[in-house]
Amino acid sequence: MSVKSIAAKIFAKKIYTKTQAWSTNPVASQQAVFKNLIKDAKKTEFGVDHNFGEIKTFEDFAKNVPIRDYEDLKIYVEKVVNGEENILWKGKPLYFAKTSGTTSGAKYIPLTKDSMPYHIEAARNAILHYVHETGNADFVDGKMIFLQGSPILEVKHGIKFGRLSGIVAHFIPKYLQKNRMPSWETNCIEDWETKIDAIVEETINENMTVISGIPSWVQMYFERLHQKGGKSVGEIFKNFNLFIYGGVNYEPYRAKFENLIGRKVDSIELFPASEGFFAYQDSQKEKGMLLLLNAGIFYEFVKSDEFYSDKPRRYTIGEVELGVNYVLIISTNAGLWGYNIGDTVQFTSLKPYRIIVSGRIKHYISAFGEHVIAKEVESALQEAMEGTTARVNEFTVAPQITPDSGLPYHEWFIEFENEPDDIVAFSEAIDDAMRKQNMYYDDLIVGNILRKVVVTTVIKNGFQDYMKSIGKLGGQNKIPRLSDNRNIVDLLNKV
């Protein structure tokens, strides 16, 4: 055992003890965050506009600060982008994370000197919790790769702009710099396919022990490794035993990954976003990710089926229930207030508070009142694959409201690595799983409003070609699991 791995175990125990202190006092932890946020932003333009000086309780806050999305907050963000100070938070932000918007084009999410450290600490602490629970620390002596965006940043009005993953690349601790891959030059390559090929060249002969990234893009890296080396990833990297991921549910990819790797490896799930680092998997034994309640973020939760009502109730951490689908609302030390990030979550544990990401509030199918969410389609696909040789690369689901003949249906566009022996039986299995999970969907099938699921096979690399066609190949970009219209699948068909 090396000195570095011994030090990792000692540090891991220290971080675990600190985590226990706040996670066992969740309501008090959130109350402390809330008070500090209001106090520190009291004299900002937003704080003055929303009477922060008079806010003493959460009820006061909810009366003065409505739930907003980016469009609603944009008038303040634009002032900060133009170099004005003390608008949403004290002074100026250090960075703006540039993300893809929907109605507004690019979005600019502030990162401040108060918020930035939590992004770095959370990723580190996720790994340390793994070390503490499993005792596995040998990986710290090997090479680690983090598939991410370019670290090249623009500067405007003294603020740096870039992708979150590129910004984070500037904060890799010194003790990991020698272990980290790919090289800075390779990381700066913008074209994703060129970048992946360069990463393969750099890493194929290295002792890779940790690999991290969004599963769909790591899969592309693994496939290129296999093509180049003619072996499984596990044979190429004999000491690779830890996969760290975020952004999408890993389960639909797990069977394909284990096939590419040639064995099972441990995994750690993260829930990072430009708006904040919200949760990480703190245990290999328990379901869900630990919600970070002392990390400069105050959380509110709105039941997703009430979200679009006139005055939805806003719940705090002490009021949430297990298994309910909530829209996640945040207020942060980066200057986001009552902000809807668009993700929905469900609690898997209340002691401590652990969550899973169940989908996006705008990514659902309710063309007939069924309100199907991402968690349901992912679980249904996973259940259908069990006991079969079917392997899935990527998929998305859309309603077919006006078929040429027969009843409407949900159409599943699936790119298979291995097609099921019986596609009809596979479709039936998906449909059965959906009906068990969603009673509204079941009612529509029973009532002959909908017919059963239809599976449409997508050609090899069809989803990659689609993402390339819209300029979103690689990086942090993801395929929506489902949508309430056919915009994605219509373009997918054309590609």
Side-chain angles (χ1 to χ4, degrees), residues 207-224:
N207 177 31
M208 304 302 302
T209 56
V210 178
I211 295 172
S212 176
I214 291 177
S216 51
W217 305 117
V218 174
Q219 178 179 307
M220 187 175 175
Y221 168 56
F222 283 174
E223 288 171 341
R224 298 286 175 92

Side-chain angles (χ1 to χ4, degrees), residues 174-190:
K174 287 184 179 179
Y175 60 84
L176 286 181
Q177 289 288 3
K178 291 182 180 180
N179 301 66
R180 176 180 171 272
M181 298 193 80
S183 66
W184 184 268
E185 292 74 20
T186 295
N187 229 5
C188 291
I189 297 172
E190 290 288 350

Side-chain angles (χ1 to χ4, degrees), residues 389-437:
T389 58
R391 297 290 180 269
V392 171
N393 285 339
E394 195 58 90
F395 77 100
T396 193
V397 187
Q400 176 51 273
I401 300 172
T402 56
D404 292 335
S405 62
L407 294 172
Y409 53 88
H410 285 186
E411 188 169 9
W412 289 56
F413 288 77
I414 304 177
E415 181 184 324
F416 289 101
E417 175 68 19
N418 292 331
E419 288 197 26
D421 295 330
D422 187 336
I423 195 74
V424 174
F426 190 77
S427 303
E428 291 266 0
I430 290 176
D431 199 78
D432 289 344
M434 285 300 307
R435 292 175 66 180
K436 284 188 290 185
Q437 291 185 91

Side-chain angles (χ1 to χ4, degrees), residues 14 73 107 116 120 163 173 205 257 298 333 408 422 465 469:
K14 180 180 178 181
L73 202 64
K107 295 195 300 184
M116 197 64 220
I120 310 307
R163 298 282 183 184
N205 295 314
F257 267 54
F298 178 74
N333 56 4
D422 187 336
D465 291 342
S469 74

Side-chain angles (χ1 to χ4, degrees), residues 204-302:
I204 196 166
N205 295 314
E206 297 288 346
N207 177 31
M208 304 302 302
T209 56
V210 178
I211 295 172
S212 176
I214 291 177
S216 51
W217 305 117
V218 174
Q219 178 179 307
M220 187 175 175
Y221 168 56
F222 283 174
E223 288 171 341
R224 298 286 175 92
L225 278 169
H226 177 66
Q227 292 168 8
K228 177 76 175 177
K231 302 176 184 177
S232 70
V233 174
E235 289 176 293
I236 295 170
F237 302 142
K238 297 185 186 300
N239 296 313
F240 165 49
N241 281 299
L242 182 58
F243 173 51
I244 303 172
Y245 68 94
V248 299
N249 185 0
Y250 180 41
E251 291 310 312
Y253 298 93
R254 189 178 293 276
K256 174 65 184 297
F257 267 54
E258 290 175 359
N259 184 54
L260 283 167
I261 296 166
R263 64 172 183 270
K264 293 183 178 181
V265 299
D266 287 345
S267 59
I268 302 174
E269 183 176 9
L270 310 178
F271 185 11
S274 300
E275 295 87 351
F277 203 123
F278 307 121
Y280 57 71
Q281 183 181 348
D282 67 317
S283 174
Q284 296 290 301
K285 301 171 184 175
E286 303 294 335
K287 183 179 180 182
M289 296 175 284
L290 184 70
L291 186 64
L292 304 181
L293 301 175
N294 74 328
I297 302 171
F298 178 74
Y299 299 96
E300 301 174 57
F301 308 90
V302 177

